Amino acid sequence: MSNPSIVLKEKGKIVLENRPVPDLTDERSVKIAVKKTGICGSDVHYYLHGNCGTFVVKAPMVLGHESSGVIAEVGRLVTNVKVGDKVAIEPGVPSRYSEEYKNGRYNLCPDMAFAATPPYDGTLARYYIMPEDFVYKLPDHVSLEEGALVEPLSVAVHAAKRAGIKYNSNVAVFGAGPVGLLTAGAARALGAANVLVVDIFDTKLELAKNIGATHTYNSLKKGNFDEEIIKLIGDRPDIVLEASGADIAMNNGLNLLKTGGVFVQIGMGKDDVKLPVAQMTQREIDYRGSSRYSQGDYNDAVTMIANGKIDVKQLITHRFKFKDAKTAYDNIIQNGKDVVKTIIDGPEDELAKL
């Protein structure tokens, strides 16, 4: 057998190479034949800059972490999946001994082994090994493409839970990238009455209406920002979720938020952003971070897709064959404003001879 893999050799250089087929050595792990993988912004950062935040690529690394596939082999003690099952892959495994894991907030584990985050290889390969409790069986009617989108949807689900969204909440989401769009969908699925999405691209705002937004607003529009939005949703939002990482969006969101409201930061902004701290204190703004996903988020994301609460397929704007993975990354860099979510197929049969 061969294991074709998409490898970032160094900043700016992606190649297709054959890696060893991973052995299934743990009795509670599974081998997955990866079939669909979405491209995340972090992968693009590694490609362009050789780093993403504090994570620096120091050795060749297989890319990809938004993946689904089919179980190819199971360890002797595996019980929750069997060979042939379609699964979504949760790509980060914490230390089973950390306090964060024991407390149910394993996403904060300092020893997290996360796919395509140095020094760990990612999922853009023919085969990938995971513990059985970090794969999630997909219902028959849920496609493998939808399965690949469980990962970014889980980010959105986690952020919505961090915000405390409940029935009749008034919510504003800043940023209509994949995570922002899915956050709007998750907010609506969890019972929010109004979900406003703010962005600068009308095409993405139109898509937001199909994913879960009840209202949209182009922030390039002239006029009083707060007044225009209050007019749309009837009041200031009691929850703001910021998914762009842009300084101006953070400040606009905080200014717009109702006194005593909750602000959740999802987008990775700069470390030295200037925020209205005195105003936040006086108005008792609850400012919360949101990192990836944790206990129950993947299950909830699969259920939302399976029950038709969120049509994640609408986010897919581009599809590429495995052998054209580099072209897929280059297309995002060159035509980013036209790309929402790119899906790369698993290795084609003709690559088996590599």
Side-chain angles (χ1 to χ4, degrees), residues 105-341:
R105 300 184 72 184
Y106 61 78
N107 56 315
L108 303 180
C109 174
D111 298 313
M112 174 74 74
F114 199 89
T117 299
Y120 303 104
D121 283 325
T123 57
L124 264 172
R126 184 185 295 282
Y127 294 111
Y128 195 75
I129 303 287
M130 286 297 293
E132 67 166 323
D133 54 334
F134 281 80
V135 297
Y136 299 80
K137 186 176 178 180
L138 299 173
D140 290 342
H141 68 281
V142 174
S143 70
L144 286 163
E145 282 195 338
E146 291 171 303
L149 288 169
V150 171
E151 197 277 344
L153 178 55
S154 296
V155 174
V157 168
H158 184 71
K161 290 180 183 178
R162 289 281 293 154
I165 291 172
K166 56 185 182 297
Y167 181 74
N168 224 28
S169 292
N170 238 14
V171 176
V173 177
F174 283 71
V179 170
L181 291 167
L182 291 170
T183 299
R188 190 71 172 146
L190 290 173
N194 292 304
V195 179
L196 171 89
V197 175
V198 181
D199 200 89
I200 62 173
F201 295 112
D202 286 333
T203 52
K204 293 183 178 180
L205 291 173
E206 283 301 310
L207 179 56
K209 295 175 183 176
N210 297 330
I211 301 299
T214 58
H215 303 81
T216 60
Y217 186 80
N218 190 317
S219 54
L220 296 179
K221 182 179 176 182
K222 293 180 179 179
N224 185 292
F225 183 80
D226 287 16
E227 288 180 2
E228 293 283 339
I229 289 179
I230 291 169
K231 191 185 302 180
L232 279 173
I233 62 176
D235 199 355
R236 292 181 180 274
D238 42 61
I239 293 169
V240 168
L241 299 115
E242 205 297 298
S244 74
D247 297 18
I248 189 170
M250 296 179 200
N251 279 277
N252 283 344
L254 285 164
N255 290 328
L256 175 66
L257 184 62
K258 183 181 287 187
T259 293
V262 175
F263 185 100
V264 176
Q265 186 65 45
I266 312 167
M268 294 290 286
K270 297 181 295 186
D271 286 337
D272 58 349
V273 177
K274 185 177 180 181
L275 299 176
V277 176
Q279 179 199 142
M280 292 162 63
T281 302
Q282 292 164 5
R283 295 171 56 215
E284 286 198 351
I285 298 301
D286 194 342
Y287 191 103
R288 303 174 184 175
S290 184
S291 178
R292 295 175 177 158
Y293 26 76
S294 196
Q295 182 65 36
D297 296 330
Y298 248 73
N299 273 325
D300 290 346
V302 171
T303 300
M304 285 180 184
I305 294 172
N307 291 350
K309 295 290 186 181
I310 302 177
D311 184 4
V312 295
K313 296 189 300 296
Q314 295 194 56
L315 268 68
I316 302 171
T317 52
H318 295 77
R319 295 174 173 88
F320 288 85
K321 296 293 186 184
F322 190 85
K323 61 185 176 62
D324 299 321
K326 182 181 183 301
T327 304
Y329 281 92
D330 290 338
N331 181 63
I332 292 173
I333 294 165
Q334 296 161 11
N335 305 295
K337 65 182 178 59
D338 299 319
V339 179
V340 179
K341 180 56 67 177

Side-chain angles (χ1 to χ4, degrees), residues 31-36 68-73 125-128:
K31 181 184 291 185
I32 306 145
V34 180
K35 299 299 183 183
K36 303 289 179 179
S68 64
V70 176
I71 300 295
E73 185 181 350
R126 184 185 295 282
Y127 294 111
Y128 195 75

Side-chain angles (χ1 to χ4, degrees), residues 8-23:
L8 178 65
K9 299 290 282 187
E10 59 189 34
K11 181 177 75 173
K13 185 177 181 181
I14 290 175
V15 300
L16 168 62
E17 69 177 40
N18 194 23
R19 291 281 186 100
V21 176
D23 292 323

